[in-house]
């Protein structure tokens, strides 16, 4: 008969080793973005993540910072349990992110970079995206291509509008975005919970909010898009 500890290891990811987080955040011309960065960084540090922050990266810097992050993980002396990457920027109409230089970078290319990290084989990799998908009144939600995580063990999150006649704008004001602020609130209240269950609660709260979008005088709804290839329960605090 298997012991209780073995059962836990079979059903949960082992996060007893180091954790690393990378934040790439375009702050300029994004009111409230600094509040999101501070709130999310405080949460990650409380959960034991070694956090690296880069603000106002150009499109090229997005890719370079991901490559350097992967290299640091592959060359560090000790093992890694988990990695989190938060991407906060303006978004474009074809699902791309916009660097501080207003040049395009594709989120799937960034996810692919991390999927090649040897130190993270078999480990959960979390991507958080807080970005618009342009201001048009049609299109598809910004997300990461599922085929870019061939190993699995991945989780990607993004915020996109719920109403079908609304442009894909990720709501944010001077206090920060609904997505990030609600995410931090829920995870701080129950850090030991299963992450996917907590994200369902985040989604419920975000969907229940009535918000005013930029250049819009009507109340709107928004919700999360959650894509997961996790194979075990992921609890960020024991």
């Amino acid at each position: 008969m298997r012991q209780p500890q073995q059962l836990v290891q079979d059903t949960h990811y082992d996060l007893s080793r180091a954790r690393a987080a990378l934040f790439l955040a375009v702050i300029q011309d994004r009111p409230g973005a600094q509040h999101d960065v501070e709130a999310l960084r405080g949460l990650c540090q409380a959960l034991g993540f070694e956090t690296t922050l880069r603000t106002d990266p150009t499109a090229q810097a997005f890719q370079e910072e991901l490559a350097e992050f992967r290299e640091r993980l592959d060359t560090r002396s000790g093992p890694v349990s988990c990695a989190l990457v938060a991407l906060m920027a303006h978004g474009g109409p074809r699902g791309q992110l916009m660097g501080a230089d207003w040049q395009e970078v594709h989120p799937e290319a960034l996810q692919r970079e991390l999927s090649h990290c040897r130190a993270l084989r078999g480990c959960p990799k979390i991507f958080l995206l807080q970005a618009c998908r342009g201001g048009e009144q049609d299109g598809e939600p910004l997300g990461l291509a599922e085929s870019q995580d061939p190993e699995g063990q991945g989780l990607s999150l993004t915020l996109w509008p719920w109403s079908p006649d609304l442009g894909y704008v990720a709501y944010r004001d001077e206090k920060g975005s609904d997505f990030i602020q609600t995410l931090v609130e829920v995870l701080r209240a129950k850090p030991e919970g299963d992450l996917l269950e907590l994200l369902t609660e985040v989604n419920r709260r975000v969907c229940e909010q009535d918000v005013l979008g930029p250049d819009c005088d009507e109340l709107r709804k928004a919700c999360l898009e959650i894509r997961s290839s996790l194979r075990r329960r992921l609890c960020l605090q024991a």
Side-chain angles (χ1 to χ4, degrees):
M1 180 179 296
R2 289 182 296 177
Q3 298 300 312
Q5 182 63 32
Q6 180 64 44
L7 291 174
V8 170
Q9 292 175 349
D10 288 346
T11 59
H12 293 66
Y13 284 103
D14 178 9
L15 299 188
S16 61
R17 297 163 294 177
R19 310 173 188 190
L22 174 66
F23 295 175
L24 301 178
V26 176
I27 303 298
Q28 66 182 32
D29 300 323
R30 300 183 68 242
Q34 186 64 45
H35 290 287
D36 282 347
V37 169
E38 293 171 356
L40 191 58
R41 181 166 58 174
L43 172 67
C44 286
Q45 290 174 342
L47 291 172
F49 282 85
E50 301 171 12
T51 304
T52 301
L53 168 64
R54 299 289 183 267
T55 57
D56 292 329
T58 63
Q60 181 177 349
F62 268 95
Q63 192 70 50
E64 292 174 347
E65 291 290 347
L66 249 298
E68 291 178 9
F69 183 62
R70 176 175 67 88
E71 180 67 19
R72 288 197 300 272
L73 294 180
D74 279 338
T75 57
R76 65 179 291 136
S77 57
V80 183
S81 293
C82 176
L84 182 148
V85 175
L87 308 173
M88 296 177 249
H90 291 290
R94 296 184 301 280
Q96 71 274 39
L97 299 175
M98 309 301 294
D101 56 353
W102 289 99
Q103 298 301 305
E104 299 178 3
V105 58
H106 293 275
E108 61 268 19
L110 303 178
Q111 188 186 32
R112 184 166 55 247
E113 180 71 49
L114 198 61
S115 72
H116 295 156
C117 181
R118 298 185 304 276
L120 290 173
R121 287 176 181 168
C123 300
K125 299 172 282 290
I126 306 169
F127 271 79
L128 306 178
L129 278 75
Q130 205 290 317
C132 303
R133 195 203 183 280
E136 299 299 324
Q137 298 300 307
D138 55 10
E140 296 296 328
L142 172 63
L144 298 180
E146 297 178 17
S147 61
Q148 300 303 325
D149 188 23
E151 183 213 7
Q153 324 290 340
L155 177 64
S156 64
L157 313 173
T158 189
L159 179 68
W160 61 289
W162 196 24
S163 176
D165 61 349
L166 176 65
Y168 290 88
V169 176
Y171 294 123
R172 184 191 67 256
D173 58 22
E174 289 77 7
K175 298 179 181 179
S177 67
D178 299 317
F179 171 26
I180 299 297
Q181 296 299 321
T182 305
L183 176 71
V184 170
E185 178 183 347
V186 169
L187 266 64
R188 279 194 176 277
K190 194 177 181 182
E192 74 281 1
D194 176 74
L195 184 57
L196 285 177
E197 293 178 2
L198 295 176
L199 293 174
T200 301
E201 172 63 15
V202 173
N203 193 34
R204 183 189 68 80
R205 295 189 189 187
V206 171
C207 288
E208 289 180 352
Q209 296 181 27
D210 293 319
V211 295
L212 286 172
D215 303 320
C216 177
D217 58 1
E218 297 182 14
L219 292 175
R220 301 291 189 176
K221 295 285 187 180
C223 69
L224 298 178
E225 180 183 28
I226 302 170
R227 298 185 182 184
S228 172
S229 57
L230 296 177
R231 302 174 188 176
R232 299 180 180 90
R233 292 170 62 87
L234 177 56
C235 303
L236 296 178
Q237 182 171 295

